Amino acid sequence: RHAHQEAAIERRITGDVEVTEGMMAQSDRQSAEDPLPPVLWGLDPVHGVFAKLYIQDILQLKNSQHVPGIFFYGTHPISRVDILGTVVQRLEKEKFYAFGVDDGTGVISCVYWKKQMPAQVTKTASPPGGLNLRQQLSRLAGLEEDQRRVELGDVVRVRGRVREFREQREVSSISLVKVSDPVFDAQISRMLELPHLYRSFYDKTFRKDGCEADEHGALILSLQSKIRQFLAQNQVKNFYQRELETIDSLSCIAWRDREGQCGQDSALNPAETLTQETISSPCVSRQIHATFQEAVSALQEEGVIFQKVAGPNELYLVTDEEKQLHNVTLDIIRDDCTQPKYIERGCPFRHILNCVRQCYGAGVTEATLQRLLDGLECSSQIVSTMDRYYTAC
């Protein structure tokens, strides 16, 4: 197997790259369009960073149809990755290292090109006790090269570009660092970091509509932030949407959408204009109501608020202030984590969600429960043993 790998890498160095029938068939099977047009790639923040992905997901990235070297995770264009894992395969040649990295989800091949040794420096007379420049450069280069000479079992962090060679996905390493991790601190930190990145960024669909910095989108975000701030400052436990619409500080924000469309002809302040227009024009009131509905729906998607019974005219409950939901969830985790099948890893998220819906209400969403569990973990009442598994402290 090592001989086969050496031959493949040497052919790659000399440029002897074949286009096999399998590669052509794979290209034909892929869809004709990318999930996101190339003109919008720069608007996705994931595209410009070294994405921290599981190796299993890197191996399953879809190829772009427009630009070689670009791959897609969902709707996110990926070109560079950051992986942390254990070296399980190793091959060293004169100009490069080839090694396999395993993070527990899969193994991917990485190639790291050795840096050229510094050019010979003309030897000059050095004063007594002075530095020999050539000797120091050689010493530093040697130390740097030793840091990048990986062995089987080493824990390494690799940053590089994703590429394919003979239908095999690999990482062309830009940075290679051996990690001293005797107590698995780095690996545990990565294990806890990745689920958060996936939930917050990678698994969310990139919406090109949200890239248009129009006034309406900015208004919804502003109103959403103000509602969240109002609920926290006043420790509101529950509310109806129509009650929010009567609060001047919030209604004035919703009014800006109407004011921006009608121009700045009125010299009255927003609150006075709102009062007069609402009385004389029902359509303005409907527009403000729709603006509030968008902001409230966005807060529901974040899990900040939820409803036991779905409906625009039903009561909204504030997740952070709903103590009954907190107690029910905590009791479920405390009771079930002692069962034999959950005692080792803890209760899975889906099991907790089903139990909460049965004991409390069917309107509890995944986002609501996730926010609640994050809060309980921050207060040290529960702890996550692995991705979305929880046990009581």
Side-chain angles (χ1 to χ4, degrees):
R1 183 171 58 186
H2 287 314
H4 175 72
Q5 290 176 341
E6 288 187 25
I9 295 174
E10 287 176 350
R11 285 195 295 271
R12 182 188 319 162
I13 297 174
T14 58
D16 182 15
V17 180
E18 300 177 4
V19 179
T20 64
E21 295 180 358
M23 294 175 64
M24 298 175 62
Q26 180 182 7
S27 177
D28 293 338
R29 288 195 299 268
Q30 291 178 334
S31 60
E33 294 296 331
D34 290 338
L36 189 69
V39 69
L40 297 178
W41 290 355
L43 300 176
D44 188 345
V46 177
H47 176 57
V49 301
F50 289 91
K52 296 181 179 180
L53 297 171
Y54 294 114
I55 289 178
Q56 179 184 17
D57 292 330
I58 297 175
L59 296 173
Q60 296 175 355
L61 294 176
K62 296 182 179 179
N63 295 66
S64 168
Q65 294 297 307
H66 297 92
V67 180
I70 299 295
F71 304 85
F72 279 91
Y73 179 82
T75 58
H76 300 288
I78 303 290
S79 61
R80 296 173 292 181
V81 294
D82 182 327
I83 59 177
L84 179 72
T86 305
V87 177
V88 294
Q89 300 171 356
R90 178 184 179 277
L91 174 65
E92 182 176 357
K93 300 292 287 186
E94 181 181 356
K95 295 184 179 180
F96 63 88
Y97 297 105
F99 52 95
V101 178
D102 184 354
D103 71 343
T105 67
V107 180
I108 192 168
S109 297
C110 301
V111 177
Y112 183 80
W113 295 89
K114 297 180 180 180
K115 294 184 178 180
Q116 297 295 326
M117 295 295 290
Q120 294 294 326
V121 180
T122 303
K123 186 174 181 180
T124 58
S126 301
L131 292 176
N132 187 313
L133 181 59
R134 180 175 58 182
Q135 182 180 359
Q136 292 300 320
L137 288 176
S138 299
R139 177 176 173 274
L140 290 175
L143 291 175
E144 184 178 3
E145 198 61 40
D146 289 340
Q147 288 295 320
R148 287 167 172 77
R149 183 176 291 109
V150 296
E151 302 292 344
L152 293 178
D154 285 345
V155 177
V156 295
R157 180 180 181 181
V158 180
R159 284 187 167 190
R161 291 190 173 275
V162 185
R163 56 184 296 179
E164 282 191 349
F165 176 72
R166 295 187 177 276
E167 301 183 45
Q168 297 295 321
R169 193 69 51 81
E170 67 179 24
V171 176
S172 180
S173 306
I174 299 173
S175 171
L176 170 62
V177 178
K178 288 197 293 186
V179 179
S180 178
D181 196 23
V183 294
F184 306 102
D185 181 63
Q187 296 176 76
I188 292 175
S189 297
R190 177 64 66 98
M191 181 181 68
L192 296 176
E193 179 186 19
L194 286 182
H196 170 72
L197 292 175
Y198 272 81
R199 287 196 300 264
S200 302
F201 302 101
Y202 305 144
D203 288 339
K204 287 189 175 181
T205 302
F206 179 75
R207 299 172 57 185
K208 59 183 179 181
D209 297 339
C211 299
E212 301 174 1
D214 55 2
E215 294 183 2
H216 179 72
L219 180 144
I220 297 299
L221 291 175
S222 177
L223 180 58
Q224 180 181 342
S225 176
K226 287 293 184 180
I227 293 176
R228 186 190 295 106
Q229 182 180 359
F230 173 82
L231 296 176
Q233 289 180 347
N234 295 277
Q235 297 182 339
V236 178
K237 294 181 173 57
N238 53 65
F239 63 92
Y240 290 96
Q241 180 180 320
R242 58 179 177 270
E243 294 176 335
L244 294 181
E245 296 172 12
T246 63
I247 301 174
D248 292 341
S249 60
L250 302 178
S251 298
C252 289
I253 300 175
W255 170 246
R256 294 174 192 167
D257 192 24
R258 172 70 179 178
E259 188 179 42
Q261 295 177 11
C262 298
Q264 304 294 334
D265 297 333
S266 174
L268 298 174
N269 63 60
E272 294 172 343
T273 307
L274 173 62
T275 303
Q276 295 176 9
E277 289 288 345
T278 303
I279 295 175
S280 61
S281 177
C283 67
V284 175
S285 179
R286 287 196 297 270
Q287 182 177 354
I288 293 176
H289 178 79
T291 302
F292 268 93
Q293 184 63 52
E294 287 187 57
V296 169
S297 297
L299 291 175
Q300 277 187 286
E301 293 179 1
E302 294 181 1
V304 177
I305 59 177
F306 70 99
Q307 291 179 300
K308 278 191 173 182
V309 180
N313 297 321
E314 299 295 337
L315 184 69
Y316 290 92
L317 302 172
V318 181
T319 303
D320 295 342
E321 298 294 334
E322 181 54 25
K323 300 304 180 184
Q324 182 184 356
L325 178 59
H326 285 226
N327 295 333
V328 168
T329 304
L330 190 57
D331 289 341
I332 290 172
I333 296 175
R334 285 173 175 169
D335 293 340
D336 292 358
C337 71
T338 59
Q339 297 182 13
K341 60 180 178 179
Y342 299 136
I343 194 170
E344 181 177 353
R345 296 192 301 173
C347 300
F349 177 86
R350 183 61 59 179
H351 169 76
I352 300 173
L353 179 62
N354 292 336
C355 293
V356 168
R357 286 175 173 174
Q358 292 176 6
C359 299
Y360 179 82
V364 178
T365 64
E366 291 190 21
T368 299
L369 182 60
Q370 187 63 61
R371 181 182 179 89
L372 175 60
L373 293 174
D374 290 343
L376 291 174
E377 188 170 11
C378 288
S379 61
S380 299
Q381 299 183 70
I382 63 173
V383 62
S384 57
T385 57
M386 55 188 301
D387 183 23
R388 289 191 147 191
Y389 280 78
Y390 300 88
T391 186
C393 293

